[in-house]
Amino acid sequence: MTQVAEVQGYTNRHDRYPTRIASEPSMLQRNEPAVWGKPADGPFDAAALAGHEARGFTIVDNVLDAGEVTSCREELDRLSRDPSMLDGGRVITERGSDEVRSVFDVHRRSDVVAALIRDGRILDRARQLLGSDVYIHQSRINSMPGFKGTGFYWHSDFETWHAEDGLPVPRAVSCSITLTENYPFNGSLMVMPGSHTRFVQCVGATPDDNYTSSLVEQEVGVPRREDVTRMAAEFGIDQFTGAAGTALWFDSNVMHGSGNNITPYPRSNLFLVFNSVENTLVEPFAAPRPRPDYIASRDFTPLS
């Protein structure tokens, strides 16, 4: 059941993280923690939670076994060819080709993914990190084919979700699960540890239906080169690599990106974005209208 988007204390007139501005952008200090729960609330122990609070991300090995990885990859192939997914805009292809870049809304179109988001290995960690019941804000599979896969420029997911979806504060977390080996050389994700503590304002108004182009190549809502340079000097850059079945939990405001894949080795990852039920969407803070529900869900029903 879709509930009314209402969050006490947050309105578009009280924006803690203004962005898509016309003036000189700034880096704002984050007000909220990355970890809202306690060690007793889930699988992460005190040391792991402290590390996540400091870095903004945590890597967990061997979350899925080989059979589960195969099932997820088969679902990627099936959904990529599903006419209803293609016609509904849920399959995003690379610019100038029919190579699949992303498939959205997979948790509502795949029994395999629907079961996975409720699996204790995943759901218990999401609840612990966010300190509340959670729902799926977004689910997708990102695919980066060999030789042809193009990267994702540096960005904070929260900046986009705040501006275009109406996510009030960064009380959301993503779980990226590798479905293929993620090497240092096949477009694996780069993250800036500790960058989640800053919110980088971006310049430029959001065009109408920006998602129709930004999901292929994001041009609005990305930091300036001088801001990326400054953050890299302060925080450094780590790279997420690992065997298929590895999970990266990362805060919604972590600065991250990936390069092109010019190797023969394809890369694909399942992304599950959990949001706190105490942080549900309001009207977008810097866009004419909300993005479609298959990109930013407004079904706030807690997962169980």
Side-chain angles (χ1 to χ4, degrees):
M1 178 179 69
T2 302
Q3 303 173 8
V4 176
E6 180 178 327
V7 180
Q8 185 176 5
Y10 301 125
T11 71
N12 287 6
R13 291 181 297 278
H14 180 62
D15 185 356
R16 298 189 188 186
Y17 299 102
T19 189
R20 313 287 171 97
I21 59 177
S23 57
E24 184 74 9
S26 299
M27 287 190 190
L28 307 179
Q29 188 68 35
R30 179 194 180 127
N31 297 305
E32 299 79 18
V35 175
W36 294 72
K38 300 178 176 63
D41 296 335
F44 288 124
D45 61 21
L49 292 179
H52 190 90
E53 182 66 54
R55 294 188 304 271
F57 66 89
T58 300
I59 297 173
V60 182
D61 295 324
N62 303 314
V63 171
L64 300 187
D65 62 31
E68 291 170 318
V69 168
T70 297
S71 295
C72 288
R73 290 175 63 177
E74 290 173 348
E75 288 297 271
L76 168 60
D77 293 338
R78 180 183 69 81
L79 294 171
S80 299
R81 298 190 302 268
D82 186 333
S84 68
M85 299 288 283
L86 292 162
D87 295 341
R90 289 170 173 80
V91 177
I92 310 299
T93 57
E94 295 283 4
R95 178 166 291 167
S97 79
D98 59 358
E99 293 284 352
V100 173
R101 179 174 175 86
S102 301
V103 182
F104 280 84
D105 206 29
V106 292
H107 73 290
R108 291 191 282 207
R109 299 301 183 110
S110 165
D111 291 341
V112 171
V113 180
L116 185 59
I117 64 174
R118 293 169 172 85
D119 189 299
R121 293 169 294 176
I122 305 297
L123 182 56
D124 290 350
R125 285 186 165 90
R127 287 171 170 160
Q128 183 182 21
L129 290 173
L130 299 181
S132 69
D133 282 332
V134 298
Y135 71 95
I136 290 290
H137 169 71
Q138 182 186 98
S139 67
R140 69 189 187 274
I141 298 175
N142 282 351
S143 180
M144 193 173 284
F147 296 115
K148 300 179 181 179
T150 57
F152 294 82
Y153 189 73
W154 290 106
H155 65 285
S156 152
D157 288 330
F158 173 66
E159 193 281 339
T160 295
W161 299 342
H162 182 69
E164 300 187 34
D165 300 334
L167 189 71
V169 298
R171 193 176 177 179
V173 66
S174 295
C175 179
S176 173
I177 304 175
T178 60
L179 302 182
T180 58
E181 181 91 13
N182 278 218
Y183 300 104
F185 45 73
N186 68 338
S188 58
L189 198 69
M190 297 178 289
V191 294
M192 295 188 184
S195 60
H196 63 298
T197 60
R198 309 282 198 281
F199 177 77
V200 183
Q201 293 180 314
C202 295
V203 176
T206 308
D208 286 347
D209 299 328
N210 183 50
Y211 69 91
T212 59
S213 60
S214 67
L215 298 178
V216 178
E217 183 177 4
Q218 188 171 358
E219 296 179 351
V220 176
V222 295
R224 303 174 304 171
R225 289 185 178 182
E226 53 262 47
D227 292 328
V228 173
T229 300
R230 177 181 165 188
M231 295 189 83
E234 181 175 358
F235 299 113
I237 298 173
D238 287 356
Q239 197 160 26
F240 171 46
T241 61
T246 305
L248 169 70
W249 289 91
F250 65 104
D251 182 86
S252 59
N253 194 46
V254 166
M255 190 62 64
H256 63 286
S258 59
N260 295 344
N261 183 11
I262 61 172
T263 76
Y265 308 109
R267 178 180 76 86
S268 58
N269 291 51
L270 171 63
F271 280 83
L272 305 172
V273 182
F274 297 90
N275 188 31
S276 168
V277 297
E278 299 173 10
N279 189 43
T280 52
L281 306 184
V282 295
E283 288 301 304
F285 288 86
R289 64 187 66 85
R291 296 191 296 177
D293 182 73
Y294 64 83
I295 298 175
S297 176
R298 290 181 180 265
D299 180 353
F300 310 135
T301 306
L303 292 170
S304 59

